[in-house]
Amino acid sequence: MRKTVVFMVIAFLAVWAHAAELHSPDGSFRLQVEVKDGVPVYQLDLDGQPVIAESRLGLEVKGMEPLTGGFKLIKVDERSFDETWEPVWGEFKEIRNHYNELGVTLEQEETERVMVVRFRLFNDGLGFRYEFPVQDNLTYFVVTDEKTEFAMTGDHIAFWIPGDYDTQEYEYTKSRLSEIRDLMEGAITPNASQTPFSETGVQTALMMKTDDGLYINLHEAALVEYSCMHLELDDENMVFEAHLTPDAIGNMAYMQAPTHTPWRTVIAGREAKDILLSNITLNLNEPCAYDDVSWIKPVKYVGVWWEMITGKSSWAYADLPSVKLGETDYTKVEPNGRHAANTEHVKEYIDFAAEHGFDQVLVEGWNIGWEDWFGKSKDYVFDFLTPYPDFDVDELRDYAKSKGVRLMMHHETSSSVRNYERHMDKAYQFMVDNNYNSVKSGYVGDIIPRGEYHYGQWLVNHYLYAVKKAAEYKIMVNAHEAVRPTGLCRTYPNLIGNESARGTEYEAFGGSNPDHTTILPFTRLIGGPMDYTPGIFENDVSKYNPDNNSWVNTTIARQLALYVTMYSPLQMAADLPETYNKYLDAFQFIKDVPVEWDDTKVLEAEPGDYITYARKEKGTGNWFVGRTNDEEPRVSNISFDFLEPGKRYVATIYSDKKDAHYKKNPKAYDIRKYVVTSKSRLTQKCAPGGGYAISLFEVKDKKETKGLKKL
């Protein structure tokens, strides 16, 4: 790691002024911080164009004078920082962390309390947080509201989902800020656990575009020991204010000095790709907490999952109205005949994984208790240890090992968090004893302890506790229904995946709009990778379950592209083996595409319309390209100038046929091969709901190019 730090202390500013100014390392961003009539405010410009208009800062605390006014500026600390670090896994081999920092120390004259607002200005945006040093008048305190503002400069176009304390599993709405209020009711669609809070409340990461073409993203980084931030819009003045998730009694965060809040982030740029390529969220997190990371490996997997999601099979072994763990005797229960997680069936998935080079097989529904797991507010719902009678742990462990494959554990908590914590050590040890090294955890339903929310401080603490506890057993975690990521995977890289958004499962719950995956990289993925579970080749869900008439709104070519555009070190081929066996020529791309990268380029992008990524495979000269499209037919024009000059590559292009359409003809695809160089260009038609994927393998032998045309 290469690091340069320059410190400056400019204490004299407090004597002569009530303001400070900071520029980004390249000079493009300018931050102004001021105390006006005792109120700290900030504003941000990009090349002289306002990004954030004058916005107030502060917090309200329980039983005390609010930390929103009565301040004087007593000190300004400034420093520059420049390092290059290597992530354990990621979209880049190296990441540069280069910023100028401003620490503004404020004293509230009446109470003699001190608050520091620390700003870090990068070449792609801003991060800032509140810090509270050790002091006599502010040690233990409770945050009841955060008054941080983000004042917009106009009625921007926004890509938003409803503010909610319990779920992010909504489709995105594209609208003007002024239209959010009228559209909110229709945007709130049913979910297993949901608590929307306002007619104008939205969630981060929030993506916006101004009328003069500026792209702006609001989010947070390093969410630790605090509650998740939403944004409440004052739609008369176009000002967002932070809105924190409360706990069961209405408090937002319990603090003990010395302490600090998470970072609030503003990413901005002239091009859409500036948002996608920003590493601000990661850079505002602490370096890796582990000395040994050799056990953390990206994973490509298949699993016994989609057949249950579609309703073809069941998680439950039997049909029982009531189960009591330790009392219900499953050896005396009549099986329902639909249970998917049985030994022989799981062996079929293991065989498929081994044949096609996948690392792991996820098995859901292996453990007792699924008959009455959901919606009962049940505390002792699972023990995470006891298999159903038809799931032989020892036999499957040994069989998978003989095939060079691991099984992936599944821990559904049913949001009984207290129950999960009481079983966690034994559950993780059980994994170690049976050759599992990764777990998909779930938090479906309302939280126990009752009254807590998925995104409150108590649960935020739990999610991180689970990750750190898993690290003690060298286990990787993929948490579903947890709080959306804020870059903590830099510090705790065994957090290799999250859901925390509307994923592929909703394609079996009525379908998602084709533009959904052209928005997610600008929103949910700003905080970290998503276990989106792509790879669905059968659009008609009724083929699996006659009672489910859902339709997967995509072409096959677009499903392939998702492995490149939806970044994750954890990628699933989610469809059924028997379906893939019908399309093995297209399935080849899923087999070829890696999950580790050395470099990433954005070739084309517009939120809600299209995204084209190119990524370089880790440790090789091979590249992969993916393009996802919304519901409109479009033409993609790309250059291969990211390839190494002087070298030749065999490009295999998996594209939509001319008559392909996500509704009318989704399985129409073409596969063709060319020789390409850094001087090649491609013009490719993309169907409605379609896209394309390209593998680019460096030519090692002239025989590989025989009979191929040059592009």
Side-chain angles (χ1 to χ4, degrees), residues 381-677:
V381 57
F382 294 115
D383 68 6
F384 313 100
L385 298 170
T386 309
Y388 278 122
D390 62 347
F391 186 88
D392 191 319
V393 172
D394 292 344
E395 183 178 346
L396 286 169
R397 175 197 63 213
D398 296 341
Y399 188 77
K401 206 167 188 177
S402 73
K403 296 282 186 174
V405 174
R406 285 182 184 263
L407 293 179
M408 182 182 293
M409 179 54 70
H410 182 237
H411 288 166
E412 175 55 61
T413 69
S414 191
S415 284
S416 181
V417 178
R418 184 178 69 166
N419 181 58
Y420 191 34
E421 290 191 355
R422 72 162 69 102
H423 286 94
M424 197 173 283
D425 276 294
K426 289 183 179 179
Y428 286 159
Q429 186 60 54
F430 178 86
M431 288 179 60
V432 172
D433 294 342
N434 290 285
N435 202 36
Y436 294 82
N437 71 341
S438 61
V439 59
K440 173 184 175 181
S441 56
Y443 296 86
V444 176
D446 294 336
I447 295 293
I448 297 175
R450 298 171 185 90
E452 295 293 338
Y453 300 111
H454 283 76
Y455 303 157
Q457 185 185 22
W458 198 87
L459 266 297
V460 166
N461 291 350
H462 162 78
Y463 302 134
L464 186 53
Y465 172 78
V467 170
K468 292 162 76 172
K469 176 63 70 173
E472 295 177 15
Y473 294 85
K474 296 187 176 180
I475 288 170
M476 299 179 289
V477 175
N478 167 29
H480 282 225
E481 295 89 30
V483 70
R484 74 283 191 282
T486 58
L488 286 172
C489 56
R490 178 188 179 186
T491 313
Y492 308 100
N494 64 315
L495 179 59
I496 62 166
N498 279 109
E499 183 193 38
S500 309
R502 184 183 176 101
T504 295
E505 63 185 348
Y506 279 85
E507 298 285 10
F509 304 159
S512 294
N513 292 331
D515 69 355
H516 189 56
T517 52
T518 69
I519 299 172
L520 282 172
F522 290 97
T523 52
R524 160 64 184 78
L525 271 69
I526 293 297
M530 180 179 178
D531 184 27
Y532 188 71
T533 61
I536 304 301
F537 283 11
E538 178 53 69
N539 302 75
D540 186 356
V541 177
S542 69
K543 295 287 181 65
Y544 296 147
N545 174 12
D547 296 325
N548 187 340
N549 294 315
S550 297
W551 184 268
V552 184
N553 292 317
T554 182
T555 66
I556 284 181
R558 179 168 166 270
Q559 284 296 301
L560 301 181
L562 293 174
Y563 289 91
V564 182
T565 65
M566 294 289 292
Y567 168 68
S568 178
L570 180 78
Q571 290 283 19
M572 184 183 196
D575 215 329
L576 276 57
E578 53 261 41
T579 296
Y580 287 135
N581 284 331
K582 298 175 184 177
Y583 307 98
L584 288 176
D585 54 350
F587 186 65
Q588 186 64 43
F589 182 83
I590 299 179
K591 293 173 61 174
D592 289 339
V593 68
V595 288
E596 296 189 80
W597 307 105
D598 273 343
D599 199 8
T600 292
K601 308 288 185 184
V602 177
L603 308 183
E604 304 166 303
E606 185 61 33
D609 292 344
Y610 54 84
I611 299 178
T612 310
Y613 272 100
R615 301 189 193 271
K616 186 180 182 182
E617 182 179 7
K618 191 175 186 67
T620 76
N622 303 328
W623 286 78
F624 291 79
V625 177
R627 156 74 177 227
T628 54
N629 217 37
D630 65 356
E631 69 281 357
E632 298 294 329
R634 299 183 186 276
V635 176
S636 170
N637 291 285
I638 64 169
S639 167
F640 291 90
D641 57 4
F642 52 85
L643 298 175
E644 187 173 339
K647 291 190 174 182
R648 297 190 302 163
Y649 300 77
V650 173
T652 305
I653 303 174
Y654 303 77
S655 64
D656 299 314
K657 280 190 173 180
K658 291 181 180 179
D659 59 347
H661 189 283
Y662 74 100
K663 285 287 191 186
K664 301 173 184 176
N665 198 14
K667 298 177 183 177
Y669 61 87
D670 273 325
I671 302 175
R672 58 197 196 278
K673 291 188 176 184
Y674 298 97
V675 176
V676 302
T677 70

Side-chain angles (χ1 to χ4, degrees), residues 260-281:
H260 55 76
T261 69
W263 298 93
R264 280 66 187 94
T265 62
V266 183
I267 306 170
R270 297 289 180 189
E271 299 181 68
K273 69 178 182 179
D274 296 334
I275 308 298
L276 298 175
L277 294 174
S278 173
N279 282 307
I280 282 178
T281 313

Side-chain angles (χ1 to χ4, degrees), residues 6-23 73-80 100-105 118:
V6 178
F7 291 93
M8 291 180 286
V9 180
I10 316 175
F12 66 85
L13 278 177
V15 178
W16 297 104
H18 299 282
E21 186 171 293
L22 186 70
H23 292 263
L73 191 156
I74 61 171
K75 188 173 69 171
V76 173
D77 301 312
E78 187 175 340
R79 71 166 184 160
S80 295
N100 291 332
E101 181 178 286
L102 194 68
V104 178
T105 302
R118 190 166 306 281

